[in-house]
């Protein structure tokens, strides 16, 4: 299941609220490096997705076809269009 940017942002806000309200004296946490790595990579993925949307939109504005964009993405034309058409010009 693919999550929207809004879904991811809401989850990040919930996580931040939980951690802000966490009393370290009341919780026994052994190691959190793995969770920090997940959060770091998730943020990088969100940033990369935003950059990808931007470059696809730019390519469409420069007259690139959905077929050309699909080849660059390594997906079908239909998959490229479905994923990006609401975010890029037709």
């Amino acid at each position: 299941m693919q999550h929207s940017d809004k879904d991811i942002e809401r989850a990040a806000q919930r996580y931040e609220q939980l951690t802000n309200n966490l009393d370290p004296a009341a919780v026994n946490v052994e190691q959190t490096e793995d969770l920090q790595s997940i959060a770091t990579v998730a943020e990088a993925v969100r940033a990369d997705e935003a950059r990808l949307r931007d470059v696809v939109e730019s390519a469409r504005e420069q007259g690139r076809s959905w077929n050309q964009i699909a080849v660059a993405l390594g997906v079908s034309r239909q998959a490229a269009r479905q994923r990006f058409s609401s975010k890029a010009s037709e």
Side-chain angles (χ1 to χ4, degrees):
M1 177 180 178
Q2 192 171 5
H3 297 283
S4 69
D5 289 344
K6 284 185 179 183
D7 292 336
I8 294 168
E9 183 61 32
R10 282 193 297 265
Q13 289 172 352
R14 284 194 308 269
Y15 177 78
E16 186 174 346
Q17 288 173 346
L18 288 172
T19 57
N20 286 342
N21 296 328
L22 188 64
D23 179 7
V27 177
N28 182 15
V29 177
E30 293 178 12
Q31 294 183 351
T32 60
E33 291 85 10
D34 55 340
L35 298 175
Q36 183 59 45
S37 294
I38 292 169
T40 300
V41 171
E43 180 59 34
V45 167
R46 284 190 293 275
D48 287 345
E49 284 290 326
R51 283 194 299 269
L52 181 57
R53 282 191 304 274
D54 289 345
V55 296
V56 168
E57 183 176 351
S58 177
R60 290 292 294 157
E61 288 171 354
Q62 293 177 30
R64 294 295 186 174
S65 70
W66 284 114
N67 194 53
Q68 291 170 314
I69 292 168
V71 169
L73 290 169
V75 299
S76 70
R77 179 186 57 80
Q78 181 179 3
R81 188 170 184 196
Q82 285 177 342
R83 181 172 175 190
F84 296 103
S85 67
S86 63
K87 299 169 184 92
S89 63
E90 290 292 320

